[in-house]
Amino acid sequence: MMRIILLGPPGAGKGTQAQFISKEYDIPQISTGDMLRAAIKEGSELGKQAKDIMNAGGLVSDDLIINLVKERITKPDCANGCIFDGFPRTIPQAQALADADVTIDHVIEISVPDDEIVKRLSGRRQHPGSGRVYHVDHNPSKVDGIDDVTGEALIQREDDKESTIRDRLATYHQQTSALVGFYQDKAKEGADAPNYDKFDGTQGIDDVKQQILSALKG
């Protein structure tokens, strides 16, 4: 059984590393968004509750999210464990997960400084028609600002503008970064506590991958 929580700011590379871990251990990535959509599609009791709340423009409560998590991890594809993607986001969610006796085996933090995150994300450029993505430093188009295939102009998405990225990072630091301390403290609690490991996300993708897989194999 391998239940893993990935922590780190947006753009740290959590999604990329989650794919490696998922393949290595044959476990699914679970995001709250995917869970909600699946429960609503299935028409489960929890899905109906979530649908009613969302249709009314409300926010789904932590209690309902935790119940969805408990329901989701009983599915056959979670027999070997799962990776929690973007959950928990806050201390109350993390505490509710613990109170619900959902065992977490590993917490992995991928640490990247804010300025590096801004550089990574704000350098992205996209061709609107095809969705092709370039990066001004790491994967530039042949002609600056022009799509290689069509010759059409590239755009910078609103999500990739520095001001938007800084806002997202501020939200992360206000809400989610407190989870680092929460799980570091949890890791000291004894035999059933999750292992906590922190990795430098400014390294190469393969280096981070090998270090994470090594830590998971313990």
Side-chain angles (χ1 to χ4, degrees), residues 184-200:
Q184 284 176 337
D185 289 342
K186 278 276 178 201
K188 300 168 187 172
E189 288 183 2
D192 295 331
N195 291 314
Y196 191 98
D197 289 288
K198 179 177 179 176
F199 300 95
D200 177 2

Side-chain angles (χ1 to χ4, degrees), residues 1-23:
M1 179 64 70
M2 186 72 74
R3 287 189 190 144
I4 299 163
I5 289 173
L6 285 176
L7 297 178
K14 298 188 299 298
T16 300
Q17 296 303 329
Q19 289 174 10
F20 294 139
I21 299 166
S22 178
K23 186 175 179 182

Side-chain angles (χ1 to χ4, degrees), residues 53-71:
I53 293 165
M54 290 164 75
N55 284 347
L59 290 173
V60 178
S61 69
D62 286 350
D63 285 345
L64 183 51
I65 293 289
I66 295 297
N67 285 329
L68 279 167
V69 168
K70 289 166 71 176
E71 183 177 79

Side-chain angles (χ1 to χ4, degrees), residues 47-181:
K48 288 174 187 173
Q49 290 177 39
K51 185 177 182 180
D52 288 344
I53 293 165
M54 290 164 75
N55 284 347
L59 290 173
V60 178
S61 69
D62 286 350
D63 285 345
L64 183 51
I65 293 289
I66 295 297
N67 285 329
L68 279 167
V69 168
K70 289 166 71 176
E71 183 177 79
R72 179 66 182 86
I73 62 180
T74 64
K75 305 285 186 187
D77 64 338
C78 290
N80 298 328
C82 61
I83 304 162
F84 290 107
D85 177 6
F87 178 83
R89 287 187 185 277
T90 62
I91 296 290
Q93 287 181 351
Q95 189 58 58
L97 201 61
D99 292 343
D101 294 325
V102 177
T103 304
I104 303 298
D105 302 291
H106 289 269
V107 179
I108 292 169
E109 180 192 355
I110 302 176
S111 176
V112 180
D114 284 5
D115 286 346
E116 176 62 23
I117 294 289
V118 170
K119 188 177 175 185
R120 283 183 185 183
L121 299 185
S122 65
R124 292 196 295 207
R125 299 292 183 272
Q126 188 176 52
H127 176 242
S130 66
R132 271 185 293 279
V133 177
Y134 300 85
H135 193 283
V136 293
D137 294 323
H138 309 304
N139 180 34
S141 54
K142 291 171 185 172
V143 177
D144 185 35
I146 300 296
D147 179 52
D148 289 350
V149 179
T150 65
E152 294 169 349
L154 302 175
I155 63 163
Q156 184 182 40
R157 297 184 317 145
E158 197 63 39
D159 281 355
D160 294 335
K161 291 183 177 175
E162 180 169 349
S163 59
T164 307
I165 297 163
R166 296 274 182 197
D167 286 345
R168 289 171 65 200
L169 286 168
T171 300
Y172 170 76
H173 291 305
Q174 285 164 10
Q175 293 186 346
T176 315
S177 64
L179 291 170
V180 170

